[in-house]
């Protein structure tokens, strides 16, 4: 019997290896003009497009992405480092995780770097962006989808392809560098000029840029993959007269849950099934962004963030109905995070370690503190220090806010409620966590809570758990990148001994830090 089981397992492994592929992409990072809301400026773009080119793969594939840094405009950052949000790097290639000064150094102008990402069994909706400073606010962001040919929820939809991938984003007319100067002087994050759906939008008083159109066929069920690639803004999202059935959150398949409006935070991803079951016509897709006081930027009008759902046979025109913010009051069936559960039950282990976290911004200082510490990137990346023998938090400066855990333990992070604090979407690199308690609910779920990699910390208190079964140094930070830039981050190190045993960086990785450190400040 044991021999038969071994033979079956071997056959399955052979079958998987036979279908797996190596997919290779090459992207040029360039300074190029763009005008997503009609205002012309120069940005930082992958292959000259915003959002950047779509990357796709199937479960089990290995993806290699070569980025050629061709940046020249020193009014913005010209070095870069790319993070693949939601892509769970394996330990052997953790050096390609893309976190500057944690897993690698950035790479400068006129150089290239190839990220190798073995995908294993992971699937779902993810994205890529610059992780250096606030550079991705200048445009360096795109989508990465890992398809599952054997998706257990495939019976719920008819269409899931490149035409059904949706992005929402915030956009500024000024560069991120000038925005950071203003933020540092005033403590006020610059309010975006516009909110974008599918890479286009409008600002108050600006040109009437045509809204993005999603074409649908009456009676067809669509899996829309909604991805918030913002640097700051969350979006209240809905489609007039239509419901949405959530079936995935941050790469985790979930039990189907029907809603008609949802709040999607920066870095978060949802798959929703929408059935085109209304009379043929045009319907507003409402993508209402928030973030800051609109009085600080009179160009920003949240109601201008939207797209159009157009049925085959409908006129080529905007909907005639009012631009609203979606269902309100009793008509609103808002997605509640605590109501989401994984499709396959996966109870969280009891915690071995508990961290109690607070977030705080001191008055008159552009500093964000996580447990009284402002995270500051070190000159020597965390991974290098670990490979050189670092074993405890004492081996790192306090400003690195680094926590060390042994292998195969469970860590609980308890964010205390704070009525004076604002919302922070915290993201864990390289892992997913159980959301034991969501910010919007008092319910504590230790049986079958949702599993994701971005969760809100706000005034309600949030409890997360993750396991240290994957060796590596993993960034844990606020995905409002203005807050992250000001210090709202930390590093969770799982199993330093396992890192030293399993990680074997390439020669190209070894050359990153010497090359970066040799650059003049203007090119870093």
């Amino acid at each position: 019997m044991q021999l038969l089981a071994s033979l079956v397992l071997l056959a399955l492994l052979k079958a998987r290896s036979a279908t797996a592929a190596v997919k290779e992409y090459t992207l040029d990072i360039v300074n190029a003009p763009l005008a997503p809301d009609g205002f012309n400026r120069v940005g930082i773009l992958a292959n000259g497009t915003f959002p950047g080119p779509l990357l796709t793969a199937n479960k089990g594939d290995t993806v290699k992405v070569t980025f050629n840094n061709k940046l020249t405009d020193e009014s913005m950052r010209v070095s870069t480092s790319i993070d693949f949000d939601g892509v769970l790097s394996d330990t052997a290639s953790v050096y390609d995780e893309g976190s500057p000064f944690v897993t690698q150094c950035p790479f400068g102008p006129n150089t290239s770097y190839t990220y190798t990402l073995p995908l294993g069994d992971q699937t779902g909706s993810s994205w890529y962006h610059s992780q250096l400073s606030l550079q991705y606010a200048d445009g360096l962001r795109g989508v990465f989808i890992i398809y599952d040919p054997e998706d257990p929820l495939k019976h719920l939809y008819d269409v899931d392809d490149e035409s059904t991938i949706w992005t929402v984003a915030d956009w500024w007319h000024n560069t991120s560098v000038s925005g950071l100067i203003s933020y540092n002087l005033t403590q006020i994050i610059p309010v975006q000029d516009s909110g974008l759906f599918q890479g286009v939008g409008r600002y108050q008083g600006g040109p009437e840029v045509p809204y993005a159109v999603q074409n649908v066929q009456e009676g067809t069920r669509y899996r829309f993959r909604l991805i918030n690639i913002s640097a700051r803004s969350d979006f209240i999202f809905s489609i007039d007269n239509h419901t949405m059935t959530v079936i995935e959150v941050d790469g985790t398949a979930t039990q189907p849950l029907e809603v008609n409006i949802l709040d999607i935070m920066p870095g978060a991803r949802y798959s929703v099934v929408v059935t085109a079951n209304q009379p043929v016509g045009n319907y507003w897709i409402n993508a209402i962004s928030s973030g800051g006081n609109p009085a600080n930027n009179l160009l920003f009008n949240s109601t201008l963030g939207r797209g159009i759902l157009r049925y085959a046979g409908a006129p080529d025109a905007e909907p005639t109905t009012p631009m609203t913010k979606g269902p309100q009051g009793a008509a609103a069936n808002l997605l509640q995070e605590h109501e989401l559960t994984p499709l396959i039950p996966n109870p969280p282990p009891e915690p071995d370690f508990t961290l109690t976290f607070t977030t705080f911004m001191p008055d008159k200082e552009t500093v964000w503190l996580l447990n009284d510490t402002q995270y500051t990137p070190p000159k020597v990346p965390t991974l290098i220090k670990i490979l050189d023998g670092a074993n405890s938090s004492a081996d790192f400066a306090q400003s690195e806010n680094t926590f060390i855990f042994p292998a195969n333990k469970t860590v609980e992070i308890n964010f205390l409620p704070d009525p004076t604090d604002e919302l922070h979407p915290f993201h864990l690199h390289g892992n997913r966590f159980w959301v034991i308690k969501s910010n919007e609910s008092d319910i504590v779920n230790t049986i079958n809570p949702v599993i994701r990699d971005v969760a809100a910390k706000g005034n309600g208190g949030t409890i997360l758990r993750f396991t240290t079964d994957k060796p590596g140094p993993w960034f844990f930070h606020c995905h409002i990148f203005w807050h992250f830039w000001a210090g709202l981050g930390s590093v969770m190190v799982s199993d330093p001994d396992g890192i030293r045993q399993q990680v074997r960086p390439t020669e190209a990785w070894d050359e990153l830090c010497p090359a970066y450190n040799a650059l003049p400040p203007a090119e870093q």
Side-chain angles (χ1 to χ4, degrees), residues 53 300 482:
F300 174 61
W482 304 84

Side-chain angles (χ1 to χ4, degrees), residues 34-111:
L34 74 163
D37 60 3
F39 179 90
N40 290 287
R41 60 159 289 191
V42 172
I44 297 176
L45 309 177
N47 283 13
T49 67
F50 176 81
L54 172 65
L55 308 181
T56 65
N58 287 328
K59 180 171 70 173
D61 289 348
T62 294
V63 175
K64 294 184 177 182
V65 189
T66 298
F67 287 90
N68 301 316
N69 185 345
K70 297 184 177 182
L71 297 175
T72 58
D73 188 339
E74 293 183 2
S75 70
M76 295 171 277
R77 296 295 290 265
V78 293
S79 288
T80 194
S81 183
I82 309 299
D83 176 44
F84 298 85
D85 262 24
V87 178
L88 309 180
S89 307
D90 69 352
T91 293
S93 60
V94 68
Y95 55 84
D96 273 348
E97 205 271 329
S99 301
F101 310 110
V102 176
T103 58
Q104 61 178 222
C105 283
F107 56 102
N110 302 310
T111 61

Side-chain angles (χ1 to χ4, degrees), residues 29 42 77 154 245 422:
I29 305 174
V42 172
R77 296 295 290 265
K154 200 169 186 176
T245 301
E422 54 190 285

Side-chain angles (χ1 to χ4, degrees), residues 58-59 123 147-151 154:
N58 287 328
K59 180 171 70 173
T123 61
Y147 290 101
D148 183 358
E150 300 175 344
D151 180 11
K154 200 169 186 176

Side-chain angles (χ1 to χ4, degrees), residues 357-362 365 367-375 401 421 424 426 483 486-489:
F357 278 176
T358 58
T359 59
F360 177 66
M361 187 180 190
E365 292 183 74
V367 170
W368 271 103
L369 304 178
L370 186 65
N371 274 24
D372 298 322
T373 300
Q374 178 191 22
Y375 175 80
N401 218 11
D421 200 7
H424 302 285
F426 267 84
H483 292 170
L488 200 50

Side-chain angles (χ1 to χ4, degrees), residues 369-386:
L369 304 178
L370 186 65
N371 274 24
D372 298 322
T373 300
Q374 178 191 22
Y375 175 80
T376 304
K379 290 186 179 297
V380 178
T382 310
L383 180 57
I384 291 179
K385 293 180 180 180
I386 295 169

Side-chain angles (χ1 to χ4, degrees), residues 26 52 69 72 82 197 206 242 253 267 281 288 305 307 381-382 391-393 434 451 488:
T26 299
N69 185 345
T72 58
I82 309 299
F197 174 72
H242 292 75
I288 311 301
T382 310
N391 274 316
S392 70
S393 296
W434 291 270
I451 300 170
L488 200 50

Side-chain angles (χ1 to χ4, degrees), residues 83 85-86 125-127 129 227-228 230 234 249-252 263-270 337 340 415 423-429 431-435 438 450-457 462 464 476-481:
D83 176 44
D85 262 24
S125 308
S126 56
W127 62 299
H129 62 83
I227 302 168
N228 187 344
S230 292
D234 63 330
V249 53
D250 297 355
T252 297
D263 185 352
I264 182 168
M265 300 170 296
R269 294 91 63 203
Y270 291 103
E337 182 182 60
L340 291 167
F415 281 106
L423 191 71
H424 302 285
F426 267 84
H427 169 57
L428 179 62
H429 286 216
N431 298 265
R432 297 190 179 111
F433 44 64
W434 291 270
V435 183
S438 294
V450 66
I451 300 170
R452 60 185 314 175
D453 58 57
V454 180
K457 180 271 171 190
T462 301
L464 313 173
F476 180 61
H477 63 84
C478 179
H479 221 298
I480 296 174
F481 259 49

